[in-house]
Amino acid sequence: MDGHTVTFLVFDGVKLLDVSGPAEVFTEANQHGAAYRVRQVSPRGVAVSTSVGVVLPVGGDALTDEPCDTLVVAGGDRLVNRPIEPELRDSAARLASRAGRVASVCTGAFVLAAAGLLDGRRATTHWQHAQTLARAYPTIDVQPDSLYVADRGVYTSAGVSSGIDLALALVEADHGPDLARAVARSLVVYMQRPGGQSQFSAPLRAPVPRRRALRAAVDAVVSDPGADHTVASLASLAMVSARHLGRLFTDELNTSPARFIEETRLEAAKSLLDSGYNVTETAQLTGFGSPETFRRTFTRRFGIPPSRYRHVFTTAGRPQ
């Protein structure tokens, strides 16, 4: 494939890594035989100030007649909590109408959504904002645990550094796995990272239930995840029947007691692994009973074995 232009749509406050990370992938691919041309445009065709204060020059605006084979809409913090301004939304729509494929990095998905480019499609964004995207745009099938999602020529990626994962996937689609693998090795990054976004998410923050009975059950689990919790024991503590406790969990927390126990234990397990505890110690301290049960449950939930998670995320040392 020759002369492929990758156009980044940028704006004031854009996350610098959302642009520089994927751009480096495409530029590095040129060292291995690709022919990408990387350029930046802004809605008004003027330089923008990035999230770290660096001024990013651009090569034009969305109305330019320059080629646009792949459009990449970068993210920015303001895209989540403020309405997408019409000129940014319209710029994305204009460029997308000329592009062979469209992509977003992190919260750039909100721009694609505002432009109607994700309607009826699967998509993802940063795990912190996935629910916000799903609520604001119910026609989008949001995949909160995916590092990136491809659906009929539209690609969306998760938080910040996952733009590199996305760019590598696009390079692989254009030039095959050997070239993409060479780029990954050169940049010292994963060709494909194991697991999904949930392995990077913050610890569970249980909401405070309105009902006293449910609050008693939740507090018991959160304060001591490793205890021998069962639905029956929690119901007894809350002084309600097991069936009624199940209804309370469903109504307020949209989950079951058993699933809440498991999720709380898994989040506690991640914290212990982060701190340097081994798999056997973590299984015992979080109530999973055996390392085998813990490994199966952890891998099913996060897509990565606990030993691998520990290797990637552990701190320099554990508390003594």
Side-chain angles (χ1 to χ4, degrees):
M1 185 185 68
D2 297 322
H4 187 105
T5 299
V6 180
T7 302
F8 286 82
L9 177 60
V10 299
F11 47 88
D12 282 329
V14 68
K15 286 277 189 184
L16 181 57
L17 188 56
D18 285 7
V19 180
S20 61
E24 283 289 355
V25 171
F26 293 117
T27 302
E28 183 64 30
N30 290 343
Q31 304 300 315
H32 299 274
Y36 292 107
R37 178 188 177 216
V38 177
R39 60 193 301 269
Q40 292 83 39
V41 302
S42 66
R44 297 184 181 182
V46 298
V48 301
S49 179
T50 68
S51 57
V52 297
V54 173
V55 175
L56 186 65
V58 300
D61 59 29
L63 297 177
T64 180
D65 291 329
E66 292 282 340
C68 178
D69 299 300
T70 294
L71 168 66
V72 181
V73 180
D77 291 338
R78 67 182 178 85
L79 301 178
V80 178
N81 299 318
R82 303 181 192 173
I84 306 298
E85 58 265 35
E87 65 177 4
L88 179 56
R89 177 199 64 207
D90 294 345
S91 294
R94 290 191 196 102
L95 290 166
S97 69
R98 295 171 25 223
R101 64 188 176 194
V102 176
S104 66
V105 181
C106 196
T107 54
F110 284 81
V111 179
L112 298 188
L117 298 171
L118 298 181
D119 290 348
R121 283 183 164 89
R122 294 178 297 109
T124 193
T125 188
H126 193 289
W127 62 267
Q128 286 182 311
H129 308 304
Q131 289 188 357
T132 302
L133 181 66
R135 286 195 300 266
Y137 301 95
T139 63
I140 302 173
D141 181 7
V142 178
Q143 308 281 305
D145 196 39
S146 297
L147 291 176
Y148 62 87
V149 172
D151 190 339
R152 289 168 288 163
V154 178
Y155 298 73
T156 52
S157 64
V160 193
S161 61
S162 63
I164 295 173
D165 299 276
L166 173 61
L168 283 169
L170 296 177
V171 170
E172 182 176 8
D174 294 338
H175 296 284
D178 290 342
L179 191 147
R181 190 174 295 111
V183 173
R185 287 172 177 162
S186 180
L187 296 178
V188 197
V189 297
Y190 281 112
M191 176 68 172
Q192 181 174 349
R193 278 187 283 176
Q197 288 197 73
S198 54
Q199 63 185 292
F200 304 98
S201 63
L204 178 69
R205 293 175 176 85
V208 178
R210 299 188 307 273
R211 297 174 177 87
R212 182 178 301 177
L214 182 57
R215 190 159 57 245
V218 166
D219 288 347
V221 177
V222 172
S223 63
D224 188 6
D228 187 21
H229 299 298
T230 64
V231 177
S233 69
L234 293 180
S236 177
L237 179 66
M239 295 187 289
V240 296
S241 69
R243 177 175 294 182
H244 184 60
L245 182 66
R247 286 197 293 267
L248 293 178
F249 268 93
T250 299
D251 290 345
E252 287 204 34
L253 304 181
N254 194 32
T255 190
S256 67
R259 185 170 298 174
F260 181 83
I261 294 169
E262 181 178 281
E263 285 291 321
T264 304
R265 286 174 172 169
L266 285 169
E267 293 297 345
K270 284 204 298 185
S271 295
L272 291 174
L273 293 170
D274 289 343
S275 298
Y277 287 85
N278 64 37
V279 172
T280 299
E281 292 169 329
T282 301
Q284 293 172 345
L285 291 170
T286 52
F288 281 99
S290 71
E292 291 73 21
T293 299
F294 173 52
R295 288 189 186 95
R296 287 197 303 270
T297 306
F298 193 96
T299 304
R300 183 185 71 244
R301 175 64 179 85
F302 298 119
I304 181 174
S307 57
R308 180 62 179 164
Y309 176 92
R310 182 175 182 270
H311 176 73
V312 173
F313 292 100
T314 188
T315 56
R318 53 172 283 187
Q320 301 297 319

mmCIF file of all heavy atoms in Angstrom, residues 48 55 87 94 108 116 121 129 131 168 180 185 254 256 263 295 308 310:
data_model
loop_
_atom_site.group_PDB
_atom_site.id
_atom_site.type_symbol
_atom_site.label_atom_id
_atom_site.label_comp_id
_atom_site.label_asym_id
_atom_site.label_seq_id
_atom_site.Cartn_x
_atom_site.Cartn_y
_atom_site.Cartn_z
ATOM 1 N N VAL A 48 -2.873 24.140 17.984
ATOM 2 C CA VAL A 48 -3.640 23.896 19.205
ATOM 3 C C VAL A 48 -2.690 23.705 20.384
ATOM 4 O O VAL A 48 -1.526 23.325 20.216
ATOM 5 C CB VAL A 48 -4.552 22.660 19.067
ATOM 6 C CG1 VAL A 48 -5.528 22.847 17.912
ATOM 7 C CG2 VAL A 48 -3.732 21.388 18.879
ATOM 8 N N VAL A 55 2.448 23.315 22.198
ATOM 9 C CA VAL A 55 1.671 23.781 21.054
ATOM 10 C C VAL A 55 1.938 22.861 19.873
ATOM 11 O O VAL A 55 3.090 22.603 19.510
ATOM 12 C CB VAL A 55 2.030 25.230 20.701
ATOM 13 C CG1 VAL A 55 1.305 25.664 19.424
ATOM 14 C CG2 VAL A 55 1.677 26.158 21.850
ATOM 15 N N GLU A 87 -18.318 22.815 15.674
ATOM 16 C CA GLU A 87 -17.251 22.831 14.675
ATOM 17 C C GLU A 87 -16.362 21.594 14.772
ATOM 18 O O GLU A 87 -15.868 21.098 13.755
ATOM 19 C CB GLU A 87 -16.417 24.105 14.799
ATOM 20 C CG GLU A 87 -15.638 24.253 16.072
ATOM 21 C CD GLU A 87 -14.783 25.519 16.065
ATOM 22 O OE1 GLU A 87 -14.878 26.293 15.082
ATOM 23 O OE2 GLU A 87 -14.029 25.733 17.036
ATOM 24 N N ARG A 94 -17.065 15.691 8.371
ATOM 25 C CA ARG A 94 -16.573 15.998 7.019
ATOM 26 C C ARG A 94 -15.383 15.122 6.649
ATOM 27 O O ARG A 94 -15.311 14.570 5.539
ATOM 28 C CB ARG A 94 -16.158 17.477 6.943
ATOM 29 C CG ARG A 94 -17.311 18.463 7.000
ATOM 30 C CD ARG A 94 -16.823 19.853 6.642
ATOM 31 N NE ARG A 94 -17.788 20.871 7.043
ATOM 32 C CZ ARG A 94 -17.662 21.634 8.121
ATOM 33 N NH1 ARG A 94 -16.614 21.497 8.906
ATOM 34 N NH2 ARG A 94 -18.577 22.540 8.405
ATOM 35 N N GLY A 108 -11.863 10.412 22.303
ATOM 36 C CA GLY A 108 -12.225 10.827 20.949
ATOM 37 C C GLY A 108 -13.478 10.126 20.457
ATOM 38 O O GLY A 108 -14.148 10.603 19.533
ATOM 39 N N GLY A 116 -22.513 11.034 14.961
ATOM 40 C CA GLY A 116 -23.367 9.953 14.483
ATOM 41 C C GLY A 116 -22.606 8.808 13.841
ATOM 42 O O GLY A 116 -23.216 7.907 13.241
ATOM 43 N N ARG A 121 -23.147 0.698 16.129
ATOM 44 C CA ARG A 121 -21.874 0.003 16.088
ATOM 45 C C ARG A 121 -21.392 -0.355 17.498
ATOM 46 O O ARG A 121 -21.814 0.247 18.482
ATOM 47 C CB ARG A 121 -20.799 0.865 15.412
ATOM 48 C CG ARG A 121 -20.885 0.922 13.897
ATOM 49 C CD ARG A 121 -19.727 1.736 13.346
ATOM 50 N NE ARG A 121 -19.537 1.509 11.917
ATOM 51 C CZ ARG A 121 -20.139 2.196 10.968
ATOM 52 N NH1 ARG A 121 -20.999 3.153 11.285
ATOM 53 N NH2 ARG A 121 -19.895 1.932 9.691
ATOM 54 N N HIS A 129 -14.952 6.190 31.432
ATOM 55 C CA HIS A 129 -16.014 6.948 30.759
ATOM 56 C C HIS A 129 -16.932 6.077 29.918
ATOM 57 O O HIS A 129 -17.798 6.600 29.210
ATOM 58 C CB HIS A 129 -15.386 8.034 29.889
ATOM 59 C CG HIS A 129 -14.400 8.895 30.617
ATOM 60 N ND1 HIS A 129 -14.734 9.584 31.763
ATOM 61 C CD2 HIS A 129 -13.091 9.153 30.374
ATOM 62 C CE1 HIS A 129 -13.667 10.256 32.193
ATOM 63 N NE2 HIS A 129 -12.667 10.008 31.379
ATOM 64 N N GLN A 131 -19.394 4.014 30.775
ATOM 65 C CA GLN A 131 -20.806 4.120 31.147
ATOM 66 C C GLN A 131 -21.400 5.449 30.717
ATOM 67 O O GLN A 131 -22.561 5.518 30.301
ATOM 68 C CB GLN A 131 -20.964 3.925 32.655
ATOM 69 C CG GLN A 131 -20.736 2.495 33.122
ATOM 70 C CD GLN A 131 -21.089 2.299 34.584
ATOM 71 O OE1 GLN A 131 -21.462 3.248 35.289
ATOM 72 N NE2 GLN A 131 -20.993 1.069 35.046
ATOM 73 N N LEU A 168 -1.081 -0.193 15.837
ATOM 74 C CA LEU A 168 -0.430 -1.435 15.428
ATOM 75 C C LEU A 168 -1.404 -2.350 14.691
ATOM 76 O O LEU A 168 -1.029 -3.018 13.711
ATOM 77 C CB LEU A 168 0.147 -2.159 16.640
ATOM 78 C CG LEU A 168 1.452 -1.595 17.207
ATOM 79 C CD1 LEU A 168 1.755 -2.228 18.560
ATOM 80 C CD2 LEU A 168 2.607 -1.836 16.233
ATOM 81 N N ALA A 180 4.092 -5.273 11.303
ATOM 82 C CA ALA A 180 3.567 -4.729 12.555
ATOM 83 C C ALA A 180 4.387 -5.219 13.744
ATOM 84 O O ALA A 180 4.662 -4.463 14.690
ATOM 85 C CB ALA A 180 2.101 -5.121 12.732
ATOM 86 N N ARG A 185 8.432 -4.321 18.104
ATOM 87 C CA ARG A 185 9.744 -4.597 18.688
ATOM 88 C C ARG A 185 10.600 -3.348 18.721
ATOM 89 O O ARG A 185 11.312 -3.082 19.695
ATOM 90 C CB ARG A 185 10.440 -5.693 17.869
ATOM 91 C CG ARG A 185 9.865 -7.089 18.072
ATOM 92 C CD ARG A 185 10.466 -8.063 17.090
ATOM 93 N NE ARG A 185 9.987 -9.426 17.322
ATOM 94 C CZ ARG A 185 10.067 -10.396 16.435
ATOM 95 N NH1 ARG A 185 10.581 -10.154 15.235
ATOM 96 N NH2 ARG A 185 9.615 -11.602 16.722
ATOM 97 N N ASN A 254 -27.513 -3.492 40.833
ATOM 98 C CA ASN A 254 -27.595 -4.175 39.539
ATOM 99 C C ASN A 254 -26.659 -5.380 39.475
ATOM 100 O O ASN A 254 -25.988 -5.639 38.468
ATOM 101 C CB ASN A 254 -27.277 -3.207 38.396
ATOM 102 C CG ASN A 254 -27.669 -3.772 37.043
ATOM 103 O OD1 ASN A 254 -28.639 -4.528 36.940
ATOM 104 N ND2 ASN A 254 -26.939 -3.408 36.006
ATOM 105 N N SER A 256 -25.835 -9.470 41.761
ATOM 106 C CA SER A 256 -26.293 -10.440 42.751
ATOM 107 C C SER A 256 -25.342 -10.432 43.938
ATOM 108 O O SER A 256 -24.188 -9.989 43.821
ATOM 109 C CB SER A 256 -26.336 -11.840 42.140
ATOM 110 O OG SER A 256 -25.021 -12.284 41.855
ATOM 111 N N GLU A 263 -16.603 -9.965 42.911
ATOM 112 C CA GLU A 263 -15.973 -8.757 42.384
ATOM 113 C C GLU A 263 -15.148 -8.051 43.453
ATOM 114 O O GLU A 263 -14.046 -7.559 43.186
ATOM 115 C CB GLU A 263 -17.046 -7.803 41.831
ATOM 116 C CG GLU A 263 -17.634 -8.230 40.509
ATOM 117 C CD GLU A 263 -16.633 -8.113 39.373
ATOM 118 O OE1 GLU A 263 -15.858 -7.137 39.347
ATOM 119 O OE2 GLU A 263 -16.605 -9.014 38.523
ATOM 120 N N ARG A 295 -6.982 -18.648 40.364
ATOM 121 C CA ARG A 295 -6.464 -18.458 39.008
ATOM 122 C C ARG A 295 -7.581 -18.504 37.966
ATOM 123 O O ARG A 295 -7.630 -17.670 37.049
ATOM 124 C CB ARG A 295 -5.425 -19.535 38.689
ATOM 125 C CG ARG A 295 -4.100 -19.387 39.415
ATOM 126 C CD ARG A 295 -3.062 -20.360 38.874
ATOM 127 N NE ARG A 295 -1.837 -20.322 39.658
ATOM 128 C CZ ARG A 295 -1.558 -21.141 40.664
ATOM 129 N NH1 ARG A 295 -2.429 -22.100 40.992
ATOM 130 N NH2 ARG A 295 -0.421 -21.033 41.317
ATOM 131 N N ARG A 308 0.690 -13.444 35.704
ATOM 132 C CA ARG A 308 1.091 -12.486 34.671
ATOM 133 C C ARG A 308 0.760 -11.066 35.109
ATOM 134 O O ARG A 308 1.552 -10.132 34.910
ATOM 135 C CB ARG A 308 0.372 -12.820 33.365
ATOM 136 C CG ARG A 308 0.702 -11.886 32.201
ATOM 137 C CD ARG A 308 2.168 -11.954 31.854
ATOM 138 N NE ARG A 308 2.477 -11.083 30.719
ATOM 139 C CZ ARG A 308 3.705 -10.706 30.400
ATOM 140 N NH1 ARG A 308 4.725 -11.110 31.122
ATOM 141 N NH2 ARG A 308 3.909 -9.931 29.364
ATOM 142 N N ARG A 310 0.623 -9.959 38.124
ATOM 143 C CA ARG A 310 1.596 -9.604 39.164
ATOM 144 C C ARG A 310 2.920 -9.192 38.540
ATOM 145 O O ARG A 310 3.558 -8.224 38.981
ATOM 146 C CB ARG A 310 1.801 -10.783 40.106
ATOM 147 C CG ARG A 310 2.765 -10.527 41.267
ATOM 148 C CD ARG A 310 2.786 -11.742 42.193
ATOM 149 N NE ARG A 310 3.653 -11.509 43.338
ATOM 150 C CZ ARG A 310 4.954 -11.815 43.358
ATOM 151 N NH1 ARG A 310 5.518 -12.376 42.288
ATOM 152 N NH2 ARG A 310 5.684 -11.576 44.438
#
